[in-house]
Amino acid sequence: VKEGEKGNNSGIEMMILDLGECIDELCNDVKLTVMIRKEEVSVGDIFTEETCGTGTFIVVDVICPWIEDEKSNGNGTECIVQCTVADDKNITLAKFLDGVGTVPIPPYLDRSADNSDISSYNNVYASGNGSVAAPTAGLHFTDELLTKIGHENISYLSLHVGAGTFKPVVTEDARDHSMHGESFVVDIGELGKIIESLENERRLIVVGTTSARTLESLYWIGVKILKNRFEGCEKDDSLSSFELGQNEWSHLAKTNVDNISAANALRAVVDFNKGKVSVSGRTSLMIAGDYDFKVVNDLVTNFHAPDSTLMLLVSAFLGSGETVRSVYEEAQDLGYKFLSYGDSCFFTKRKK
């Protein structure tokens, strides 16, 4: 984007951090949470997209500084902007972004996105708009590989990746890091297949930290539903059951959940949504430290940046930072490639 309506200062990166539920709304007056790669940003500042010059973004709220390490493209400002498109009042946000945006490849690739990234930086099974980054563990799965696995052995779910995936953890204590919320959608039928696998003790291999976070969030949402039922909560009372706070799991864990299996918790979610075709919600779940995984026992994931929440999730899954360090050092010695366009690994949770 360019700064100002006439664009005196061009080439400023504006990265969308969360599309929420507004992707199919009309573009005018939509508010977006973004990171502007500029440290001094104030309410009222105007930025203009450079492709057509007809779309403007006015800063309506400044949230906080966006701090990255010295090897990144620089610090910025997290803020909320309001969109305006001068020449088309009926254009949707999705269509507008298709026209003026670029594929959000990671900055460490040190290049601009090209046409090949449109397909290579996305899953072959992707459906629907909403993520601001690719769930990269799925990049390893081709159509041919999915055919070999067999449709009957695969369940799909969607978590619209937000800033929580790539915002660096810069706090001294990781528990003080503020997680962004991310929206998820799971088809009731797909969730039923997952429950059936759990009940029949079939091995459930979860692809990606996004899928892991969604399934773990659904477990705790199921716990919330069951606990609310015990307290006499009616189904129509509890929209908040489909939202999960950053550390809400730790409070729920203190309410004796040992007798609530993964299958029972997910079944509660399905029962609560009888008559619907899908379950949707929003999660800010932060998986780190002593988090006890309830659904995920086997995980396929890429090699992640050391200052990311994804690394915290992997560390919690493997049980210690020392184990992660050992795995990553061995991977480096063997020449594995790291990060989004890198290699994948397969982890199994240690039994207690």
Side-chain angles (χ1 to χ4, degrees), residues 161 175 190 262 273 329:
V161 180
R175 291 171 295 184
E190 299 292 335
N273 287 274
E329 286 176 353

Side-chain angles (χ1 to χ4, degrees), residues 23-40:
I23 188 65
D24 294 318
E25 294 181 10
L26 294 179
C27 192
N28 277 329
D29 298 328
V30 162
K31 293 180 181 179
L32 296 172
T33 303
V34 303
M35 185 280 292
I36 298 174
R37 190 85 62 184
K38 186 175 183 291
E39 292 193 64
E40 295 182 5

